[in-house]
Every structure is written in structure tokens, then in C-alpha cells.
Amino acid sequence: MTTELRRLRNYIDGEFRDAADGRTTEVVDPSTGEAYATAPLSGAADVDAAMAAAATAFPAWRDLVPAERQKVLLKIADRFEERAEELIAAESENCGKPVALVRSEEIPPMVDQIRFFAGAARMLEGRAAGEYMDGLTSIVRREPVGVCAQVAPWNYPMMMAVWKFAPALAAGNTVVLKPSDTTPASTVLIAEIIGGVLDELGHSRGVFNVICGDRDTGRLMVEHKTPAMASITGSVRAGMQVAESASKDLKRVHLELGGKAPVVVFEDTDIAKAVEGIAEAGYFNAGQDCTAATRVLVHESIHDEFVTALAKAAADTRTGAPDDEDVFYGPLNNANQLAQVKRFIDGLPAHAKIEAGGHQVGEKGYFYAPTVVSGLKQDDEIVQQEVFGPVITVQSFRDEDQAVEWSNGVEYALASSVWTKDHARAMRMSKKLDFGCVWINTHIPLVAEMPHGGFKKSGYGKDLSGYGFEDYTRIKHVMTSLDG
């Protein structure tokens, strides 16, 4: 007996549509490895239609007073709360995430972030008008950039969609959003929610559009002549491709890419508390987080004790099915990601030692055991490259200077943390660490008011905060003669 797969569809100009040429791709539940839905494999005709809808809707949306855009976003946040269980179910099936953790760790911050940007819509700031030349007054205007082409990743499909559409809509832009080809379900549901709110409040549903597809679909979006800005959260390779494509017509680009966060643990740290926080920040979401605490540098005087404690924490951490309330994380998102994690572990150098885990879990789905690897050197591949799995590496450092050198000695620069009771040392490290975020005695908390974004190959531009909001605006100088 064959189970009929659910059919997901694009959302363009307020209508759910199949791909123009009828092509589809299967969507797999990573906790079972089995397909549960099909989604459109959108092509040029679909991209054209979505961009046309967004472009048509843009003038009226741009010209709304900010208070009206705020009403829309606040209503969207309300709907997210009202339909939370639907969103949780879709995201859990999308990603295999534990239901309880999506409910507690994703829905509340998403709602809060939408409401933050609803408020930000009314707080566009610029320099005061003034006379900088005799007889002339200058004014600075902040304006929306236009249509935004946005590509969200598969590790946090819902939350990253919020990080993209909320500031863009608040600033007066219109959106064409593409989810990952492996995780379209929750984004399609978001389109239904937002479309309903726009319709209810009398605005064009073309303000927000969703098209499903693969890398080629994303490429078509970025290369399209209509959008003024392309925003992507994804791999370094994808970010480079987007930047190259966007350069052909000088689109603005917003890139949040990979990470390889150093976690620097000094000898005065409370080891038990540090291990607890680091294990949680390293294994949350199966380590599929650009800011994950997966590269630990620990002072040589406490190295052995720390590794023993971390290995025990790994052994005590459970992975399993989404409906199991006792598991901390679910499967890796897809078969390719599972293969990548296996490749890193299978390719470990002889001097490395697996202290915990290092193997797949179960016969169904893409589960991988919480893993700790010690004995590593700075130039080892697993230290230098992003694993994006539940794998924590440990290196032993000699002194503060070496900790800084090794921390900064990778191509990524998104997030980092320092664990010490010495306030002066923490301040020195926060200055020297070349990362967009430095946590002290914690790792991974994010708040809507503070910026998130990196340097180097972790990309550029900020998510969240007023800085993230401003990224979706442009600045215009207006000068007027006082002579009339």
C-alpha cells in the first residue's frame, strides 16, 4: 500500500500554485528517511511571476505610514501564536526536531522578533536636518530598497524566515522568499498565515511570496533583474555564488554564512558549569548551527579533567524521535549532511582520539551520536572546517596569546565565547577575538535587540537589532534652497 504524499505549493500573489512546468521534488522526513510530501521545483517562469507580484505590490507597501506596516507585523505575530501547534508540527516534520524544543525554544523568540521589527518600523532614525552650506538645508531620508530576494537555510527554516521577512517588510520592502529544498513545509505555512493577514487588513498579498526549489531556483532569483537586494543564510560556497551573481548588476547583498566558533576555557573556570553550557550549545539542534560551540580550546592545566567531564556529558545527551520528550536533539537534516559528518569522523588523523560518540544512531533516519574528539592540532581539517553536526573538538592551549592565535586562525568569524572568572582577561579576549559575537561565560543566547552577523568568510550584514533593520534600507540626501 502506497501512502499518498502531501502536495506543497508555491505562494505567488496570494495564490497557491504548482510550478509552471509541473516539476516537483520529494521532501523527506529526516527522522525516518522517508518522503512525506512533494514541493514545486520552480523555474524561470515561477521566479518571474513571484518577482512581478512583489514589484507590483511594492509602491503601495512602501508608501504606507510605518504604523500601518506595524499593524500587519503585530497581527502576523498574533497569528504565529494562535497557530503555534501547526507551525511546530510542520517544523518538526521538516527537520525532525523534538516537538518540545520547537515549542519552547523557537516559537517564543520568533514571535518576539516579529514584534521587535514591528516596533522598529516606527523608529527609522537619521541625522537631523541642518544647514551645511549657506542658504541650503539638508535632509537625510531612509527608504526601503525595493523587492528583496531571500533564501533561507534548512537548519532553522522558520526562524531564519522570520529573520528575513520581518525586517524587510517592516522597512517597506516586498519579499520573494525561497526555503531550502529539504525544508519547505513550514515556510509554505508561513505564507498562508502572512497572506491571510495581508488580505484581512486590505493589503496586496503580493507583498510576500514563497517559491520552492533547489539551488538553480535560488540562482534564478539572485540573477533576476527585479530585486534590489539578495539575502541568503547558507554555506560559504553558496554565499560566494550569490555575491558573484549579484555583482553583475550591483545588487545589494546580505550574507550570513558558516561559522567555526572558538570556545576558550581558561584554568579558573568552573569546569562543571562550563561543560554543561558548552555541551548544550554544541549539541543543540544536532550541532547544525553556525554559532554552535563545537571548537573548544581549553587550558592545558585542566585539559584532561575537562575532556573527561565533556565526554560524560556527551554520553548523557540523547538524540531520538521528535515525539520523545527526553531527547535533546533530533536527526541531521538530510542524507548528504549525515554523509558529511561521517566523512569528517572517518577521516580523523591518527593523533586524534574519539572520546565519545563517533557513530550513527539507529537504522532509520539521519541520527548521529553526540561526539567529542580530542588530541587535535590547529591545522587539522576538522578544526578548520565547519562540520555542522553534533561533534565537539577539543584542543589544549598554553597561554592567552596562543588561545587568541588559534581562535582567530580559521576562515570563519561569526561567533565565539570565553570562559573565565577574570574580568580583565575576558575584556582583553573580547577585544582580540575576531568574531561578530563574543559571549562571556555563556554561549549561543540571542536577543532581538542585539545584532547577529560575522566577518571574513562568515559573510557580512547583520540580522536582528536596529542594525539588521537598517540593512533593508537605503539612504537618500535631499537638499533644498532656502531662497524658495
Side-chain angles (χ1 to χ4, degrees):
M1 181 177 176
T2 302
T3 302
E4 185 175 349
L5 302 181
R6 189 186 327 153
R7 185 176 68 168
L8 304 173
R9 294 192 288 179
N10 293 330
Y11 187 79
I12 299 173
D13 203 16
E15 296 180 352
F16 284 102
R17 309 179 187 180
D18 295 323
D21 60 9
R23 291 190 303 157
T24 63
T25 184
E26 287 191 342
V27 185
V28 173
D29 181 342
S31 65
T32 64
E34 298 174 357
Y36 69 91
T38 62
L41 190 54
S42 300
D46 308 296
V47 173
D48 285 344
M51 293 299 175
T56 300
F58 173 64
W61 185 252
R62 172 199 61 200
D63 293 342
L64 285 175
V65 295
E68 292 301 313
R69 292 197 296 270
Q70 182 189 48
K71 287 180 184 178
V72 173
L73 285 163
L74 290 175
K75 183 73 74 173
I76 291 169
D78 292 344
R79 292 288 184 270
F80 268 53
E81 284 187 323
E82 293 164 10
R83 301 183 66 175
E85 292 306 313
E86 294 174 70
L87 289 165
I88 292 164
E91 190 74 340
S92 182
E93 197 168 33
N94 251 347
C95 308
K97 296 182 181 184
V99 169
L101 283 173
V102 178
R103 182 178 293 114
S104 64
E105 302 300 323
E106 295 199 31
I107 295 294
M110 284 164 46
V111 170
D112 178 67
Q113 289 152 8
I114 296 170
R115 288 178 176 149
F116 170 82
F117 284 113
R122 301 178 70 168
M123 288 294 291
L124 273 176
E125 295 182 356
R127 294 188 180 186
E131 290 68 50
Y132 301 94
M133 185 178 289
D134 288 342
L136 297 166
T137 295
S138 288
I139 301 169
V140 172
R141 292 178 55 90
R142 276 200 178 271
E143 302 175 338
V145 297
V147 176
C148 296
Q150 302 182 320
V151 179
W154 48 252
N155 57 336
Y156 293 102
M158 282 198 307
M159 189 173 293
M160 295 303 99
V162 167
W163 286 21
K164 294 191 180 302
F165 79 70
L169 295 183
N173 304 286
T174 54
V175 167
V176 178
L177 173 65
K178 189 191 87 67
S180 167
D181 55 340
T182 66
T183 55
S186 57
T187 310
V188 171
L189 179 56
I190 286 172
E192 178 188 325
I193 293 170
I194 294 178
V197 169
L198 290 168
D199 194 44
E200 177 184 341
L201 297 181
H203 302 294
S204 169
R205 289 175 289 181
V207 166
F208 181 78
N209 307 271
V210 168
I211 55 173
C212 304
D214 58 9
R215 290 175 182 169
D216 284 341
T217 311
R219 177 183 55 79
L220 290 168
M221 288 173 59
V222 174
E223 292 179 353
H224 202 277
K225 296 298 182 182
T226 296
M229 179 175 177
S231 171
I232 178 175
T233 299
S235 68
V236 173
R237 180 183 65 177
M240 288 178 170
Q241 291 170 345
V242 166
E244 182 178 1
S245 295
S247 70
K248 295 174 184 176
D249 55 4
L250 296 179
K251 281 186 183 69
R252 185 181 297 195
V253 178
H254 182 283
L255 302 175
E256 200 276 280
L257 309 176
K260 195 67 182 175
V263 181
V264 185
V265 182
F266 284 97
E267 66 276 11
D268 61 345
T269 302
D270 183 319
I271 293 177
K273 289 184 178 178
V275 164
E276 180 182 3
I278 292 166
E280 181 175 320
Y283 297 133
F284 187 80
N285 202 38
Q288 297 170 124
D289 190 313
C290 297
T291 63
T294 56
R295 181 167 64 106
V296 177
L297 291 81
V298 59
H299 190 268
E300 59 188 11
S301 65
I302 60 168
H303 173 271
D304 293 350
E305 183 182 357
F306 180 90
V307 168
T308 298
L310 185 60
K312 183 180 184 305
D316 291 341
T317 301
R318 286 192 59 209
T319 181
D323 58 356
D324 186 339
E325 295 187 359
D326 294 327
V327 303
F328 184 64
Y329 67 87
L332 296 167
N333 180 258
N334 54 74
N336 289 339
Q337 190 59 31
L338 175 62
Q340 172 166 299
V341 174
K342 286 181 175 179
R343 184 186 67 78
F344 271 105
I345 298 301
D346 293 345
L348 286 172
H351 53 261
K353 180 182 178 183
I354 297 175
E355 303 280 355
H359 57 83
Q360 187 174 352
V361 175
E363 298 179 359
K364 289 201 314 180
Y366 311 131
F367 299 93
Y368 202 84
T371 299
V372 177
V373 182
S374 66
L376 293 162
K377 298 179 181 179
Q378 180 65 12
D379 58 356
D380 288 336
E381 181 189 28
I382 199 170
V383 169
Q384 291 293 318
Q385 300 301 319
E386 188 173 36
V387 179
F388 223 57
V391 178
I392 298 178
T393 65
V394 184
Q395 297 167 259
S396 173
F397 71 85
R398 180 182 60 253
D399 54 29
E400 188 174 313
D401 288 342
Q402 188 176 63
V404 171
E405 178 187 354
W406 285 359
S407 293
N408 293 339
V410 294
E411 294 182 324
Y412 303 91
L414 182 58
S416 59
S417 64
V418 179
W419 299 73
T420 180
K421 295 177 182 177
D422 185 331
H423 177 74
R425 178 159 59 191
M427 292 297 96
R428 289 194 303 271
M429 292 294 292
S430 69
K431 177 182 177 181
K432 295 176 182 178
L433 288 173
D434 189 20
F435 295 84
C437 176
V438 181
W439 286 290
I440 298 173
N441 294 325
T442 188
H443 193 111
I444 225 168
L446 294 169
V447 292
E449 294 86 350
M450 290 294 111
H452 174 80
F455 316 132
K456 294 160 58 174
K457 285 192 175 179
S458 290
Y460 44 81
K462 297 297 182 184
D463 289 311
L464 303 176
S465 77
Y467 300 101
F469 182 50
E470 289 178 0
D471 275 358
Y472 285 94
T473 68
R474 65 184 189 182
I475 297 172
K476 178 186 289 183
H477 171 220
V478 179
M479 181 179 277
T480 181
S481 170
L482 298 181
D483 293 335

